[in-house]
Amino acid sequence: MNESHFEKPFWNPYLAGIALGLVLLSSFLIMGRGLGASGAANRIGVAVVSAIAPAHVNANPVMASLKEDGAHPLDDWLVFEVLGLFLGGAVAALTAGRMKLGILKGPRISSEFRLVFALTGGILMGIAARLARGCTSGQALSGGALLSLGSWAFMFSVFAGGYALARLMKKEWL
Amino acid sequence: MIFPFDSLSAHHREFGLIVAVIIGFAFGFVLERAGFGRSPKLAAQFYLYDMTVFKVMFGAIVTACLGIVVFSQLGLVELRTLSNWATSETFLWPMIVGGFLLGIGFIIAGYCPGTSAVAAASGNLDGLFTFIGVIIGSFIYSEAFPLFSRFHEASNLGHVYLYDLLHLPAPAVAAAVALMAILCFLGAEKVEQYFSEKLKRSGNTEFENNILPERHSRLARQSTFATFGALALIACFTLFLTIRNGSSRSSALPLSQADLGERVLKEPWRLRIIDLREREACLETRVPGSECVPLAELTTLALSEDTSGRDLILVGGIDLNEVPAAAATYPGRVFILEKGFEGWKSFALTAPNHPGPSASPDEVGSYRIRAALYSSLTGAKQAPPPPPPAATGGTTKKKGGGCSG
């Protein structure tokens, strides 16, 4: 990357880990909750469908449960937390000189394919996170820190899944 | 308790949502600065030449875990209450399968859901596409839920934690996790080095300029390990403190036979009595109202979730030396019956001797209770008549006498 000398380097991973742990710890102590991401994505989806076809959401008990008692599906802690996540990510990228419109990928794959893969992987993760009651943030990180059995099983599984398919996906990244 | 559970109730709602944005902001900021807004760096985890994902995640887990355990040992938070609140129950197979599927999605997309949001926020379109994908995937799941619903609810183990599984105190497990993390980090350094050398030799020049992680300072690594080690030691130390003070939740109160006898008669609905002896022995004869649950099966009761507010009374064969881990987390008071069931046999299943005419009112009261218990439990029509001296207890129908513990 030519302009890389304008970018601030990434934090040392160990110190970043401690920093992330402290954020998680304060979330536990102040809110009694862990961090999350996929739950908010789910709510955003329900909110979008609800705006387009409210009857459809009401007919689906799983989606309707998010707007019980007339609550708005976006009226939830996680949604606000993910709003903060976007802001924090943007500010961090901006102040580190990394804010740049682009598509990140390995050298051997076209941008179009990269975006198709990104969308496909996202869809799989959306399904997976619903099944597992959380993603790497809510389940592995937050539940893992509280030593929940299911979270640890989930975490090992995530790595197993990633390594299982890594060889096949080599062209996308290497 | 320093965290308000009602932080999202109407009263504190606005404050709670503001805090949510602030915490999310810090979360996103740290993720971006760790390099998690860039898919090649995240994907590198699965090609082993850059283990940042592993280091950051595991480091964060250890930090938060040790932190929360130390806080709970100091009595500032109640670990299990917080955990039950903040985590989902364990649905073992859905979580294993979901995890595997998420790992597959991760390597295809190059992001997990949280990091895709950070990537999108820093202008990476692949991140945006991934995040949109997650939304679509969640929607598909809701649409197709009837297909998944049975599996979705399968293998629900309730709230189970590693310390339940291992029957160890939480600080010990947290300390073990921290030590394991340090060992894994040392291993990860070696693995990283080996695979990046290998990639360099393969002549892929893109890597050297672009993707290979810069070698970080030894100092940061060593001080991190030292911090973890120190926190782990503190966690273990607080453990010894609480054991000595006897203030830990796992400590139980002793309950005398007379007290149990009185409570069984007067307020059985306030008691949850669990007989931990072998099932056959328990089924044959037991303290009235007790559940027969051998020690090994105690975890199946999910005692930590009993919110009935009853007192838990544990009955062993003889004295129980310690509270079983599965009962230590019972939300209410926990009692251990002194001298166990053997004591009960000689107390309640053996005909009592009248204390005599010169007895104090207390002694008479205690005699009445024993007599009432004896008659109701053994089928004797009534207690032996008052004064006659030395009525031997040989007339009990079941299980009379025996060894009095």
Side-chain angles (χ1 to χ4, degrees), chain B residues 62-299:
Chain B
V62 169
T63 306
C65 178
L66 285 174
I68 211 79
V69 162
V70 169
F71 271 104
S72 87
Q73 289 298 107
L74 295 176
L76 295 171
V77 285
E78 218 290 280
L79 179 65
R80 190 174 290 269
T81 315
L82 170 69
S83 304
N84 289 354
W85 180 266
T87 66
S88 59
E89 294 180 347
T90 289
F91 292 78
L92 196 58
W93 283 108
M95 283 174 175
I96 289 174
V97 173
F100 197 82
L101 191 61
L102 196 130
I104 287 175
F106 193 160
I107 187 66
I108 294 175
Y111 298 105
C112 62
T115 51
S116 75
V118 173
S122 49
N124 298 324
L125 288 176
D126 48 335
L128 182 63
F129 272 61
T130 304
F131 194 75
I132 293 171
V134 176
I135 296 176
I136 298 174
S138 308
F139 174 69
I140 292 175
Y141 196 82
S142 298
E143 287 296 313
F145 191 74
L147 281 179
F148 299 113
S149 60
R150 261 192 69 191
F151 185 60
H152 186 88
E153 301 296 338
S155 55
N156 180 2
L157 307 182
H159 285 288
V160 198
Y161 302 95
L162 296 184
Y163 43 88
D164 299 326
L165 196 71
L166 302 168
H167 298 290
L168 284 171
V173 177
V177 168
L179 294 182
M180 195 174 84
I182 295 177
L183 292 178
C184 290
F185 290 151
L186 290 173
E189 293 292 331
K190 298 263 179 248
V191 170
E192 224 173 38
Q193 202 160 12
Y194 174 81
F195 282 93
S196 43
E197 295 290 324
K198 201 173 157 189
L199 268 178
K200 270 186 209 161
R201 268 181 278 130
S202 74
N204 191 338
T205 48
E206 186 90 11
F207 282 97
E208 291 194 53
N209 310 330
N210 215 347
I211 312 180
L212 278 187
E214 33 197 311
R215 308 308 302 170
H216 287 287
S217 79
R218 220 168 236 275
L219 182 68
R221 184 161 78 223
Q222 283 164 348
S223 44
T224 302
F225 294 176
T227 312
F228 287 173
L231 277 172
L233 277 179
I234 292 175
C236 291
F237 181 66
T238 56
L239 185 66
F240 289 118
L241 271 187
T242 41
I243 287 175
R244 195 177 296 165
N245 290 343
S247 64
S248 150
R249 302 224 28 196
S250 61
S251 67
L253 308 160
L255 182 69
S256 70
Q257 297 285 343
D259 286 344
L260 177 62
E262 188 174 349
R263 298 194 64 187
V264 163
L265 288 180
K266 290 187 178 164
E267 45 174 24
W269 57 88
R270 293 226 171 110
L271 309 177
R272 178 162 188 192
I273 308 172
I274 297 184
D275 194 320
L276 300 172
R277 294 173 301 147
E278 293 297 318
R279 197 179 296 282
E280 293 74 28
C282 173
L283 288 175
E284 198 176 335
T285 164
R286 59 192 173 272
V287 178
S290 28
E291 302 162 53
C292 291
V293 184
L295 196 52
E297 294 169 28
L298 200 57
T299 46

Side-chain angles (χ1 to χ4, degrees), chain A residues 13-34:
Chain A
Y14 296 110
L15 299 184
I18 292 186
L20 183 57
L22 291 177
V23 174
L24 178 58
L25 183 62
S26 12
S27 181
F28 283 144
L29 293 177
I30 301 170
M31 300 297 299
R33 306 221 187 182

Side-chain angles (χ1 to χ4, degrees), chain A residues 14 29 56 75 95 133 166, chain B residues 3 13 33 47 143 152 189:
Chain A
Y14 296 110
L29 293 177
H56 186 77
D75 189 7
T95 50
R133 280 92 174 153
Chain B
F3 55 88
R13 188 160 184 87
R33 286 298 168 91
Y47 299 101
E143 287 296 313
H152 186 88
E189 293 292 331

Side-chain angles (χ1 to χ4, degrees), chain A:
Chain A
M1 219 156 287
N2 298 328
E3 63 272 67
S4 66
H5 42 279
F6 295 121
E7 287 179 17
K8 282 192 189 168
F10 295 128
W11 287 354
N12 176 294
Y14 296 110
L15 299 184
I18 292 186
L20 183 57
L22 291 177
V23 174
L24 178 58
L25 183 62
S26 12
S27 181
F28 283 144
L29 293 177
I30 301 170
M31 300 297 299
R33 306 221 187 182
L35 303 168
S38 55
N42 180 36
R43 285 177 175 275
I44 293 172
V46 173
V48 170
V49 179
S50 179
I52 302 168
H56 186 77
V57 170
N58 295 336
N60 181 314
V62 192
M63 288 197 275
S65 70
L66 294 185
K67 41 187 284 193
E68 251 166 29
D69 307 325
H72 195 277
L74 292 184
D75 189 7
D76 183 73
W77 190 82
L78 260 185
V79 176
F80 283 78
E81 186 246 24
V82 166
L83 178 70
L85 178 69
F86 269 98
L87 292 175
V91 169
L94 209 59
T95 50
R98 274 191 289 272
M99 177 65 91
K100 189 165 144 274
L101 201 62
I103 295 166
L104 297 175
K105 59 186 189 61
R108 293 194 286 161
I109 185 176
S110 73
S111 293
E112 291 76 17
F113 266 110
R114 172 70 190 107
L115 290 183
V116 169
F117 278 131
L119 190 70
T120 312
I123 292 173
L124 284 177
M125 289 193 290
I127 295 172
R130 293 292 304 285
L131 183 61
R133 280 92 174 153
C135 61
T136 21
S137 314
Q139 199 56 266
L141 189 64
S142 305
L146 293 175
L147 302 171
S148 164
L149 172 64
S151 300
W152 279 74
F154 172 81
M155 186 162 27
F156 280 106
S157 252
V158 169
F159 280 103
Y163 283 110
L165 206 71
R167 191 170 275 272
L168 206 66
M169 298 309 297
K170 213 165 176 175
K171 212 182 159 193
E172 191 184 358
W173 303 113
L174 297 184

